[in-house]
Structure formats: C-alpha cells, structure tokens
Amino acid sequence: MRLNIPFNHPRRESLLIREKLVDGFRKGIVAPEGLIAHGRGECFDYILGEKTQEFALRAIEAAAAAILLANHPVISVNGNVAALVPEYIVKLAEESGALIEVNLFYRTREREEAIKQHLLSHGAREVLGVGEDASATIPELFSERRRVSPRGILIADVVLVPLEDGDRTEALKRLGKFVVTIDLNPLSRTARTADVTIIDNVVRAMPLLVEKVRELKGRDREVLKEIISRYNNNEILQEALRFISHRLVELASRELRIRV
Ligand code: ATP
Ligand code: MG
C-alpha cells in the first residue's frame, strides 16, 4: 500500500480498489488494458451510487441457484478478477464445487502463470486453463482468445464470467452454456447476452454470491429451479437502466454546487 487515504475520504473504497489493481499490474497479474477497463466500470459504479442495488441482489440469487444446479460449473478468471477478489473466487469454488479456469483476453504465458500462482497462494486447489491445459478451442474466436481447458469451460454447463468481453460471451452462448456475469455496465454486450447479469462491482458482488451459495446449498433442487424459472434477465437490465435514469433525474433537481 503506497497511498495513505484518509478514512473519511469520499472515494476511499474506490481508491483502495485502484491500489489493488495497480499492485496486480506490478505483479504481472493485471494487463494494462485491464486498468482501462476498470475505469469504464468505475464510471457506472459512480452513477449506481457505489452500492449493491435490489436488481443485483435478485441476479445474485439466480446466479447462486444456477451454479448449485449445474453439473459442471466453472468460474472463469481474468487478471482484474484475480487481483480484486482472489479469496472469494476460492471460497465460491469450495462452496459450490465449481472449477477455476484462467481465461484471458490478452493471454501471455507469464500472466496466466502469475494468476495461477496468485490463486494457489489464496488457497485454490486447482487452476485450469494455464499452459498446456488450455488445449481446446472455442470455435469462431480468434488466436489466443479462443483457448480453453478441455476439463473446464469446454465441457461446462454453467460458466461464471465476471468482467468478460462481449465476443467471448456471445461465443459461450452459441456453445449452449448458461452464462452468468458480473458487469457494472447494463449496456455492455456481455450484460445483454448473459443469462444472468449481476450489475454490481465485482468486489461487492462476489462476497454476496458466496454467502447466497452457502444459504441455498441445502435447499431442494425444485426450490432452486423455481428461482431460475421466476427470473427474467431482461427485467433486471431494464430495472438497472430505470434506476440510473431516476437517480440522475433526482440528482438533477437538487442543489449540486458544493460550498466550502
Ligand atoms: P462488451 O465487450 O461486453 O460490450 P465493453 O467492450 O464495453 O463490453 P470490456 O472492456 O470488453 O467492455 O469489458 C469490461 C467490462 O467490465 C465493462 O463492461 C466494465 O463496465 C466492466 N467492469 C470493469 N470493472 C468492473 C468491476 N470492478 N466490477 C464489475 N464490472 C466491471
Ligand atoms: Mg468488449
């Protein structure tokens, strides 16, 4: 930690998250493009009030049910996710029996290995998708972006892809996967293509998802199926956009100038 951020700083949480990403960048876990992608997310978080909203809680419940019902759930991890929430990736894998797979947009041998070691140091039992293990390919995607593990994403029925790129989310859907994402932007292609979109910051959503999986774990499969059949992702996307527009309209009717 290089920065000394005062406890009452209004952007304290946000600055601490940035520090984690910059540390991850220095350790070779986060790609430079990942730092920029985070900025796009931050902008939406600012507008969402930097809090988990009701539409995110409903999506988290559906996500937990889908992961628990899956025969072969996989958590896809990129540099940003590994840097921000390594402990919750490991906890989610443990609680749900999901496998962890490194899945990078900008794949390099060094970075995939750095991410694997980072996750192992946080208690992961196994990390797929690294080196020789990423030997299968997803059709239609180009170059390194299409490599996956034949024991992981290739045969998964439910895939959690936090902060994923739209092309790859679409490719996963075409392969018939049930896709769950965490994405702050309700307008991204990933958000609009996934089956369940948790519109929230990954740092808030992952702990809540782990908690929800723990809570629903003992429930009857019928109860879990009922949660999924009641769930409508289009409604969630619409609610998020309505929330954003109402919040901006409400803010626009207030005195905004800060007097010091
Ligand atoms: P798409 O390819 O799905 O249309 P995009 O091209 O707009 O999305 P990408 O850079 O491909 O964006 O994907 C990164 C996504 O991750 C963005 O939608 C961004 O809002 C989101 N994001 C970034 N940081 C976070 C975070 N901490 N928590 C949740 N979402 C985040
Ligand atoms: Mg994209």
Side-chain angles (χ1 to χ4, degrees):
M1 176 63 54
R2 292 164 304 113
L3 268 183
N4 245 331
I5 308 165
F7 279 96
N8 60 355
H9 191 292
R11 303 251 82 72
R12 185 182 157 80
E13 276 309 309
S14 166
L15 292 175
L16 290 173
I17 297 171
R18 282 189 185 175
E19 282 295 291
K20 271 196 175 178
L21 280 173
V22 172
D23 279 352
F25 174 71
R26 294 211 170 91
K27 289 182 187 149
I29 293 168
V30 173
E33 293 83 357
L35 297 176
I36 299 169
H38 182 72
R40 184 173 291 162
E42 274 185 342
C43 178
F44 283 94
D45 210 11
Y46 210 121
I47 295 174
L48 286 166
E50 292 170 317
K51 283 199 187 80
T52 303
Q53 304 297 344
E54 173 63 27
F55 46 81
L57 292 174
R58 278 163 53 201
I60 286 169
E61 184 185 47
I67 292 168
L68 288 170
L69 281 171
N71 292 319
H72 196 82
V74 172
I75 308 166
S76 163
V77 179
N78 64 19
N80 286 36
V81 176
L84 292 178
V85 284
E87 62 276 57
Y88 292 101
I89 295 164
V90 173
K91 279 185 192 156
L92 182 61
E94 253 162 40
E95 293 292 338
S96 67
L99 297 176
I100 300 172
E101 176 164 344
V102 176
N103 185 23
L104 304 182
F105 192 86
Y106 301 99
R107 192 183 273 276
T108 66
R109 191 68 192 86
E110 294 73 30
R111 214 153 68 74
E112 60 183 18
E113 192 55 44
I115 292 171
K116 178 177 176 175
Q117 292 310 323
H118 187 61
L119 293 171
L120 290 176
S121 76
H122 280 84
R125 276 173 226 249
E126 192 184 16
V127 178
L128 303 175
V130 176
E132 295 302 298
D133 186 60
S135 60
T137 53
I138 296 182
E140 300 171 58
L141 285 180
F142 298 106
S143 68
E144 295 299 283
R145 291 168 56 195
R146 65 182 176 189
R147 286 175 51 199
V148 291
S149 168
R151 292 186 294 143
I153 289 175
L154 189 74
I155 56 168
D157 50 356
V158 174
V159 194
L160 171 64
V161 282
L163 282 59
E164 183 56 290
D165 164 62
D167 280 349
R168 297 205 303 184
T169 307
E170 287 174 7
L172 290 174
K173 277 309 301 166
R174 280 196 293 269
L175 287 176
K177 316 286 184 198
F178 187 95
V179 177
V180 177
T181 192
I182 303 171
D183 190 329
L184 278 159
N185 176 6
L187 291 171
S188 77
R189 264 187 312 148
T190 293
R192 293 163 63 194
T193 309
D195 296 284
V196 175
T197 305
I198 301 168
I199 303 159
D200 197 10
N201 198 315
V202 74
V203 303
R204 293 189 300 268
M206 279 296 288
L208 292 171
L209 182 56
V210 171
E211 206 177 288
K212 201 35 114 181
V213 163
R214 276 192 192 130
E215 181 194 322
L216 294 181
K217 218 166 141 178
R219 301 279 173 87
D220 219 71
R221 285 180 75 83
E222 290 312 310
V223 174
L224 302 180
K225 282 182 192 160
E226 173 65 25
I227 290 173
I228 311 255
S229 64
R230 273 205 317 263
Y231 182 80
N232 180 335
N233 208 45
N234 189 47
E235 252 171 47
I236 295 296
L237 297 173
Q238 289 176 340
E239 264 180 47
L241 284 178
R242 274 200 296 271
F243 176 88
I244 289 172
S245 40
H246 288 162
R247 182 157 192 268
L248 290 178
V249 167
E250 205 261 321
L251 282 170
S253 67
R254 279 195 214 166
E255 167 69 44
L256 290 177
R257 217 166 69 82
I258 297 173
R259 287 167 225 280
V260 287

